[in-house]
Amino acid sequence: MIHDIMPGAEEQLAKEMTTAYVGFDPTADSLHIGHLVGVMILKHLQNAGHRPVVLIGGATGMIGDPSGKSLERNLLDEETLRKYQAGIKKQFAKLIDFNSDAPNSAVMVNNYDWMKDMTFLDFSRDIGKLITVNYMMAKDSVKKRFSGEGDGMSFTEFTYQLVQGYDFIHLYENYGCKLQLGGSDQWGNITTGTELIRRKLGGEAFGITCPLIKKADGTKFGKTESGNIWLDPRYTSPYKFYQFWLNVSDEDARSYIKIFTMLGRDEIEGIIAEHEQAPHERKLQKTLARELTCMIHSAEEYEKAVEASAILFGNATADALKNLDEQTLLQVFEGVPQFRVPMSQIVSGIAFVELCTTEAAVFPSKGETRKLIQGGGVSLNKTKVAAPDLTVGEGDLIAGRYLLVQKGKKNYYLLIAE
């Protein structure tokens, strides 16, 4: 998990309980899996007896960080920032201890609280004079933008590293924070902070960065065709979250299991060895999906996600299907042919053969439907249709409006009553 480590950082951690912070920009009221590296490193840090500080970048979120980006971001108002902060804290509280009496209980702060009353003149006089423009221009994140990536760089973004550096000064003075952690694209901002502490306060501070997580094929980690994988179940259901980890490549799973789980080194090496003996069993992906779904959601949601997957890919029972909530059902059967049928027909009872030919073109003809049923190749809601004269009624609906027809092993059709 370590990309760069400043000389002296390791000795500082070995010497005493150290307060360390990671900044998170509040771009939504939920974190997504791109944030998980920062979260995990704070979790490890707290487990090792150190004190984590989670910094919500309310002020910096109003500016936008140029690191690794070629465009400026939308700026937020205070009310939105507070709402986002509350959502993010709720997620952090599941992973990091904020509430105990332990000396290394975590703290959450928002840099808007100490930046909002600072005037431009104060900032220029106290902070701006400490660092030369030459020093700031030498940073990679700045150089890239000046050499033609994107539309150049505004003054606001150019001063970002000073604003982030000022955060480090504030946390150093008020919380005894001596270490900043972040992605490898933050190295320039972090070193500016340590330099400001040295020049303004004569103090010593350190930085450690984590590698930026990419997929084995070089594409961005954590994005899917439908967008980010969020930690909040309102935006990404536990089923979809589980499926994301289950479907990563072997190469990615080998690296992710070390970064995103709290399993020990020996256990991880054992799982990798087991996976290599029988890759088709996907032991690595299954472990990764289990550990993360339990950690971010719950063991109960994990069990539900496993059951939901078994409906599509395994031998799940009719009961498992009935237990699905509507959102998960629609996600499990995303991309499956769908037909809309009149609710009135279902309520008054309709012959299965009639339903699957006249009302929904699941099968081409009634004769062929009967033949398939007699051959044992048709199921309704994961239960074999035993005879062609089956009547379908309101009691058969899943979540009050769905019917699942299956032909053979792999052909599913979703009927939606309305």
Side-chain angles (χ1 to χ4, degrees), residues 10 42 63 112 137 145 229 236 330 352 355 383:
E10 213 167 329
L42 285 179
I63 298 175
Y112 182 73
M137 292 281 287
R145 289 282 285 275
I229 301 293
T236 301
L330 291 174
F352 179 79
L355 177 69
T383 302

Side-chain angles (χ1 to χ4, degrees), residues 137-173:
M137 292 281 287
K139 302 289 182 188
D140 282 348
S141 56
V142 175
K143 271 200 287 203
K144 279 181 186 160
R145 289 282 285 275
F146 270 89
S147 63
E149 274 191 31
D151 300 329
M153 191 181 214
S154 66
F155 172 75
T156 306
E157 282 197 307
F158 181 58
T159 55
Y160 184 91
Q161 56 178 294
L162 291 182
V163 176
Q164 186 169 324
Y166 182 67
D167 286 343
F168 205 171
I169 288 180
H170 179 88
L171 294 176
Y172 182 91
E173 286 190 294

Side-chain angles (χ1 to χ4, degrees), residues 121-137:
L121 291 175
D122 290 339
F123 189 77
S124 297
R125 186 192 60 215
D126 296 341
I127 305 302
K129 68 172 188 195
L130 297 171
I131 297 282
T132 66
V133 169
N134 313 41
Y135 179 90
M136 292 166 75
M137 292 281 287

Side-chain angles (χ1 to χ4, degrees), residues 340-357:
R340 299 188 182 275
V341 296
M343 179 67 87
S344 55
Q345 295 273 41
I346 308 287
V347 172
S348 56
I350 183 170
F352 179 79
V353 172
E354 175 82 13
L355 177 69
C356 294
T357 51

Side-chain angles (χ1 to χ4, degrees), residues 366-382:
K366 290 179 181 175
E368 186 169 328
T369 310
R370 288 191 188 94
K371 205 190 298 177
L372 282 164
I373 290 169
Q374 279 155 353
V378 179
S379 295
L380 174 67
N381 297 345
K382 300 299 282 186

